Amino acid sequence: MKKEWNSNKIFKGIFPALLTPITEEGIIRRDGLKKLIDWELYHGADGFYIGGATGECYSMETEAREELAKEALRAIDGRGRCIVHIGAYSVREGIRLARQAEKAGADAISATPPPVYRYGMEETVDYYRQLSEDVDIPMLVYVNYMLGEQDPTVLMEKVLELPGVIGMKFTRNDYYELFRISRLQGGNINLLNGPDETLLCGLVMGADGGIGSTYNIMPGIYKKIYGAFREGDMKSARNWQFQADNIIEVLLKYGQIRAMKFLFNRKGISLGKAEKPAVDLSDGEEQQLLCELEAAGYFREYPEMK
């Protein structure tokens, strides 16, 4: 039987795809996690997407992922909605993570399509059925290019019939696809934009908010995009999107995860290093990164990070 909510549009606003504070031995840095979450909420985050690709989930042991979800939810303490990503290399592991996320108090679970191999439509639908049917919290499908040539609208039409599936994180670049999907279920579908650089495009085409990697270091800028759009101020929304994109361009040059962790580490929010095989930034790269972020206007918005 399909689980029901008054509305599937549960998640609205800005949700950082949370970085994972972790030691080189794979232990979650609880103090760093608490400080990071507090910083994000102070600067406008509406909630979090925990344990996804930005959280380096596929480089972590299952036990560390479970610890991350538990400690993050404890640190959030009801101050924002939380989605836990439970996609894994096996369905068994995904089910284990889903059960643990529900027990820890997550508001929803999410999962990418099965990693590594390509599967057909019915296989993909069955994958989401197995992950969603075992828990009583909602699920958001993570639609990205791991679907291969499958039509995401057809997929979502099928998976929205599954118990608990309420919508999706859309991390693709064809916004006509997003528009088509937004009309499913009479429009009662929770859509969250994935590509940071085109949050405004997603909002225009039907998204209820966004989940993003670079939201970690500038949640307030994305909140301004979201707020301006909601108020009908498209000029301001576009200007803030361009500001974010200038900063994204710098981060991509140096590697988003290691660059963002560097910024937080140097300001006393201890996140550790990016998981191997990522290498540390050199001293020269660190200084150049700071110079380019200055030129992009980042420190004008976040002077405490300078």
Side-chain angles (χ1 to χ4, degrees):
M1 180 177 178
K2 184 173 180 178
K3 309 179 189 79
E4 298 289 349
W5 289 268
N6 290 333
S7 171
N8 283 339
K9 292 183 178 292
I10 295 172
F11 300 95
K12 297 180 180 181
I14 298 305
F15 297 83
L18 200 65
L19 292 164
T20 297
I22 193 167
T23 69
E24 292 187 65
E25 294 73 36
I27 307 300
I28 301 301
R29 295 175 178 260
R30 296 182 185 180
D31 183 62
L33 181 62
K34 175 68 164 58
K35 288 181 178 178
L36 176 63
I37 286 169
D38 288 346
W39 191 90
E40 304 288 355
L41 290 168
Y42 175 79
H43 285 286
D46 294 297
F48 300 93
Y49 190 87
I50 294 170
T54 303
E56 303 173 279
C57 65
Y58 291 118
S59 298
M60 295 169 61
E61 300 293 335
T62 302
E63 292 76 14
R65 294 180 66 179
E66 291 177 323
E67 182 75 4
L68 171 65
K70 181 179 73 173
E71 293 301 327
L73 283 156
R74 180 178 297 170
I76 294 166
D77 193 26
R79 293 177 292 168
R81 292 189 180 275
C82 177
I83 305 160
V84 175
H85 174 258
I86 52 92
Y89 288 111
S90 76
V91 173
R92 290 185 301 277
E93 184 179 353
I95 292 171
R96 170 180 166 174
L97 289 166
R99 290 172 177 170
Q100 189 271 340
E102 181 178 34
K103 183 178 179 181
D107 294 292
I109 55 173
S110 180
T112 57
V116 183
Y117 302 111
R118 298 290 194 204
Y119 293 93
M121 182 69 70
E122 295 305 319
E123 293 170 313
T124 304
V125 172
D126 189 59
Y127 166 77
Y128 284 113
R129 178 190 62 76
Q130 292 181 71
L131 293 179
S132 65
E133 70 180 359
D134 207 53
V135 295
D136 291 318
I137 55 176
M139 173 173 234
L140 290 161
V141 174
Y142 189 148
V143 172
N144 59 18
Y145 286 99
M146 291 167 68
L147 285 177
E149 299 302 316
Q150 295 183 64
D151 185 330
T153 306
V154 175
L155 172 68
M156 287 307 301
E157 192 170 21
K158 292 177 180 291
V159 297
L160 283 167
E161 296 301 321
L162 298 175
V165 176
I166 62 170
M168 60 179 277
K169 177 188 178 190
F170 181 85
T171 307
R172 293 167 70 94
N173 299 118
D174 184 342
Y175 281 99
Y176 177 57
E177 290 180 343
L178 182 62
F179 166 71
R180 292 176 64 211
I181 292 167
S182 73
R183 296 184 296 176
L184 297 175
Q185 298 283 310
N188 186 25
I189 174 174
N190 204 171
L191 299 176
L192 293 167
N193 186 76
D196 300 20
E197 65 276 13
T198 51
L199 170 61
L200 183 56
C201 298
L203 294 173
V204 168
M205 299 305 285
D208 303 300
I211 297 168
S213 302
T214 61
Y215 293 21
N216 279 278
I217 66 159
M218 47 179 169
I221 290 178
Y222 289 104
K223 194 65 175 282
K224 288 174 180 176
I225 297 169
Y226 178 76
F229 171 78
R230 297 279 293 180
E231 292 169 6
D233 185 355
M234 292 299 291
K235 181 178 179 181
S236 292
R238 185 180 65 175
N239 288 341
W240 283 115
Q241 182 70 74
F242 289 171
Q243 174 71 81
D245 289 356
N246 287 333
I247 296 167
I248 290 170
E249 189 171 7
V250 175
L251 294 173
L252 289 173
K253 182 176 177 180
Y254 293 94
Q256 290 186 82
I257 294 174
R258 62 179 185 166
M260 291 190 293
K261 283 194 168 185
F262 161 70
L263 289 171
F264 282 116
N265 285 334
R266 69 190 288 272
K267 301 311 294 184
I269 300 178
S270 181
L271 305 189
K273 301 178 179 181
E275 290 284 275
K276 296 184 185 309
V279 298
D280 296 341
L281 294 169
S282 68
D283 291 344
E285 287 174 323
E286 290 175 352
Q287 293 307 308
Q288 189 62 28
L289 168 64
L290 295 175
C291 289
E292 293 185 29
L293 286 174
E294 177 80 63
Y298 176 69
F299 296 118
R300 183 173 62 249
E301 297 300 318
Y302 298 96
E304 74 273 25
M305 297 294 283
K306 190 169 183 178

